[in-house]
Amino acid sequence: MGEEDQMVYHMPHIEKLIAEYDARPPFDEKKCKEEFKEMMECSFQDQVKRLPRGIYDQIADIRVFTLGYCTREVMRQLKKQSAENTKLMDRVLK
């Protein structure tokens, strides 16, 4: 038995965790879709509040942006904005 396996084997609560995992309710696809939709809507609203208007206006689909995708130009502007924010924060902290 490998060292990693021995570590797991000697964990007294591992069997309880496994039992809890096995006893979980069946996957509810409808509920999962509803929760995902709610999370994404909150993320859309958050992005609108956080992004500078000039950058936000260049995003074709906020849903795709919220999933982590954007054009190179938008990414370049976000990095520039981030660098400016870091400089401002450093100045305030000094």
Side-chain angles (χ1 to χ4, degrees):
M1 191 180 297
E3 184 178 337
E4 301 87 22
D5 296 328
Q6 288 177 8
M7 288 173 45
V8 171
Y9 179 76
H10 291 292
M11 295 171 71
H13 64 284
I14 194 74
E15 289 183 22
K16 180 182 177 218
L17 292 173
I18 291 169
E20 289 172 358
Y21 182 81
D22 289 342
R24 72 190 189 281
F27 178 72
D28 184 346
E29 183 176 349
K30 184 178 178 184
K31 181 182 174 190
C32 185
K33 285 181 179 183
E34 289 171 3
E35 289 174 354
F36 179 78
K37 183 179 178 184
E38 289 173 13
M39 282 190 325
M40 291 305 291
E41 287 173 0
C42 287
S43 294
F44 301 155
Q45 294 168 3
D46 186 47
Q47 295 294 353
V48 172
K49 292 175 189 173
R50 287 182 335 119
L51 289 169
R53 189 71 192 173
I55 296 175
Y56 176 77
D57 289 340
Q58 296 177 45
I59 297 171
D61 190 338
I62 193 66
R63 298 169 300 175
V64 176
F65 180 80
T66 301
L67 291 171
Y69 298 96
C70 65
T71 63
R72 284 187 180 98
E73 178 60 22
V74 168
M75 180 59 76
R76 185 187 65 73
Q77 291 181 37
L78 288 170
K79 287 181 179 180
K80 180 180 176 186
Q81 182 68 44
S82 179
E84 290 172 7
N85 290 345
T86 300
K87 286 179 187 176
L88 179 61
M89 190 172 68
D90 289 343
R91 223 176 330 150
V92 168
L93 291 173
K94 286 181 183 179

